[in-house]
Amino acid sequence: MLDFSFCNPTRVLFGRDMFPQMEAHIPVGARVLVLYGGGSVVRNGTMARVLAALSHHEVLEFGGIEPNPSYETLMRAVALVREERIGFLVAVGGGSVIDGAKFVAAAALYEGDPWEILETRGSKIRAAVPLAAIPTLPATGSEMNGTAVITRGELSTKRAFRSEHVFPVFAVLDPTLTFTLPPRQIANGIVDAFVHVLEQYLTYPVDAPVQDRFAEGLLHVLLDVADVTLAEPENYDARACLMWAATLALNGLIGAGVPQDWSSHLIGHELTALYGLDHARTLAVVLPATLQVRRGEKRAKLIQYAERVWGVRDGTGDEKIDAAIGLTRAFFERLGFETRLSGYDLGRDDVSALLKALERTHGASYALGENRTVTPDVATAVFGASL
Ligand SMILES: NC(=O)c1ccc[n+]([C@@H]2O[C@H](COP(=O)([O-])OP(=O)(O)OC[C@H]3O[C@@H](n4cnc5c(N)ncnc54)[C@H](O)[C@@H]3O)[C@@H](O)[C@H]2O)c1
């Protein structure tokens, strides 16, 4: 096992009846800004419940945070936080709203140009307005981590940052808030959480059986629950499993003490930035191609994944790896995902634009992944395998 320092400061309030408990965790007298997205939380009654639970605080609202939250919109929220001397943020929505609130929290107290936060991947953040998260979409784990991903339209770029200062103080995880999600978004959540686990699990062995078994357990739960939760949106127990699994998939626990990849995410971000694909849809294209191209580097863990997650018992190591990649692709396709660029009418011409975008984001001689081997040549091969 690798050395690690692990701290997750976010309090989780989990269940159908936890809203009344949240106000106790917000400083008395703090002016609160509730941030939300396109208005689904207003229409489905979630907002009314949030406002009722904040009845002892002065509350302002900021709506309109887009999927893949935009820097330009968030900077308007930053101005509001500064003008109105907001002391606490509450993000109600999917990962986009929660990520957006994290950026607002850090940018409002940042001395200098807030774009630097993204250019320096969060390393210069010294303080942030405290925030809480009320996720309405089980997917990103943003409600219990210190990461955010922001899109800047005018530069066609999507950038991530992380900082200990933007961990939510608390997260209210109420599975009933997800009942109104369209099947497409639930499928996105399942795939996003699944790939989060794989980015931390499918690397190389470091004798970390605790992390491996946690990761395999989460993958099994996601496989078990996927069909039920899609078919029965109001099955509370299935949604509760999905929600907790998605949070645990990216709250730092399974990634502590093990190598992590994340190259599929970083390559996928360019597909969103250039062509607007949903985040999870990008992963379903890039991940199978990555596993195929980098199967040598990932060989031992791919065989372990085949055996323990997919129950593949027979065959040579290579045959097991083929089976695991094929079963992963088939799982994504069963959930309605395209797993090739051609499914989105993208081809070789688009690959050169994607490669240029990766260079713009990470520099001309980037080297991503757990072994820093995902260079421009390997990224080219990954795109080639995903056509
Ligand atoms: N912070 C992290 O660790 C992390 C990890 C992975 C991805 N991300 C980022 O998160 C973003 C994606 O977040 P997401 O997958 O949660 O989706 P999202 O927040 O973009 O939401 C997708 C859509 O679902 C709608 N929606 C949300 N909840 C709803 C509900 N209960 N009922 C009806 N509609 C609802 C939203 O209005 C939106 O239109 C991307 O920008 C991605 O890069 C962040």
Side-chain angles (χ1 to χ4, degrees):
M1 196 181 300
L2 307 178
D3 294 353
F4 66 88
S5 161
F6 172 66
C7 171
N8 191 311
T10 303
R11 174 185 299 276
V12 175
L13 301 170
F14 193 104
R16 350 170 159 249
D17 239 339
M18 302 306 280
F19 272 57
Q21 291 197 25
M22 71 176 166
E23 210 168 27
H25 303 286
I26 301 177
V28 176
R31 303 183 88 200
V32 177
L33 182 67
V34 177
L35 301 109
Y36 62 96
S40 64
V41 294
V42 177
R43 291 188 293 279
N44 65 22
T46 302
M47 196 63 160
R49 287 180 63 197
V50 173
L51 296 178
L54 295 174
S55 59
H56 296 102
H57 283 83
E58 192 182 341
V59 177
L60 281 78
E61 297 174 29
F62 183 91
I65 298 178
E66 318 79 350
N68 306 306
S70 94
Y71 180 79
E72 294 81 356
T73 301
L74 298 173
M75 286 305 293
R76 289 195 282 112
V78 170
L80 186 65
V81 169
R82 288 175 173 164
E83 275 161 26
E84 298 290 342
R85 298 183 318 285
I86 297 294
F88 200 90
L89 306 180
V90 176
V92 187
S96 293
V97 174
I98 301 170
D99 283 8
K102 290 176 179 176
F103 176 76
V104 173
L109 302 188
Y110 194 77
E111 291 176 12
D113 177 0
W115 182 243
E116 280 175 19
I117 291 175
L118 294 154
E119 285 188 323
T120 57
R121 300 194 169 98
S123 63
K124 289 194 174 170
I125 297 172
R126 297 288 170 264
V129 178
L131 75 146
I134 306 182
T136 58
L137 200 172
T140 64
S142 185
E143 63 277 5
M144 202 180 178
N145 70 34
T147 302
V149 194
I150 308 299
T151 296
R152 189 164 183 179
E154 58 181 352
L155 302 180
S156 297
T157 189
K158 187 170 181 182
R159 301 275 178 101
F161 75 90
R162 69 174 312 283
S163 166
E164 296 209 347
H165 297 287
V166 298
F167 270 89
V169 175
F170 65 84
V172 183
L173 270 59
D174 180 340
T176 66
L177 302 185
T178 73
F179 288 177
T180 54
L181 277 165
R184 173 192 179 88
Q185 296 298 347
I186 276 294
N188 279 354
I190 295 164
V191 168
D192 195 21
F194 198 85
V195 178
H196 288 160
V197 178
L198 293 184
E199 295 269 30
Q200 300 163 88
Y201 169 74
L202 270 183
T203 57
Y204 55 86
V206 290
D207 201 5
V210 176
Q211 292 87 330
D212 280 0
R213 291 296 189 183
F214 266 130
E216 289 155 4
L218 291 174
L219 294 171
H220 275 290
V221 168
L222 291 168
L223 290 170
D224 288 348
V225 91
D227 292 324
V228 183
T229 203
L230 273 167
E232 303 170 23
E234 302 206 5
N235 178 331
Y236 178 86
D237 293 325
R239 281 291 153 98
C241 273
L242 173 61
M243 195 165 218
W244 192 218
T247 300
L248 289 172
L250 198 50
N251 74 344
L253 178 71
I254 66 167
V258 294
Q260 301 188 21
D261 183 344
W262 299 110
S263 64
S264 293
H265 268 71
L266 297 177
I267 294 173
H269 285 172
E270 305 304 346
L271 275 164
T272 301
L274 292 194
Y275 305 110
L277 269 61
D278 292 352
H279 173 64
R281 310 265 149 185
T282 72
L283 301 175
V285 170
V286 178
L287 180 91
T290 292
L291 299 183
Q292 187 59 38
V293 169
R294 301 178 58 212
R295 57 191 287 154
E297 272 178 77
K298 292 178 179 286
R299 182 178 176 81
K301 290 303 280 286
L302 273 168
I303 293 171
Q304 182 177 319
Y305 171 60
E307 292 172 346
R308 294 190 186 173
V309 176
W310 293 107
V312 179
R313 295 268 165 262
D314 302 324
T316 63
D318 276 324
E319 285 165 351
K320 287 178 178 172
I321 291 172
D322 285 338
I325 296 173
L327 286 160
T328 305
R329 189 186 288 280
F331 173 54
F332 296 160
E333 289 175 352
R334 186 159 56 80
L335 296 179
F337 285 64
E338 299 292 342
T339 61
R340 300 205 175 268
L341 288 173
S342 52
Y344 295 99
D345 294 326
L346 300 174
R348 285 196 190 280
D349 293 349
D350 303 290
V351 168
S352 38
L354 287 160
L355 288 166
K356 281 201 192 92
L358 270 172
E359 281 189 20
R360 265 201 310 276
T361 306
H362 302 286
S365 50
Y366 60 82
L368 312 174
E370 68 273 28
N371 297 315
R372 301 272 163 243
T373 49
V374 183
T375 56
D377 284 349
V378 173
T380 307
V382 168
F383 283 128
S386 65
L387 283 170

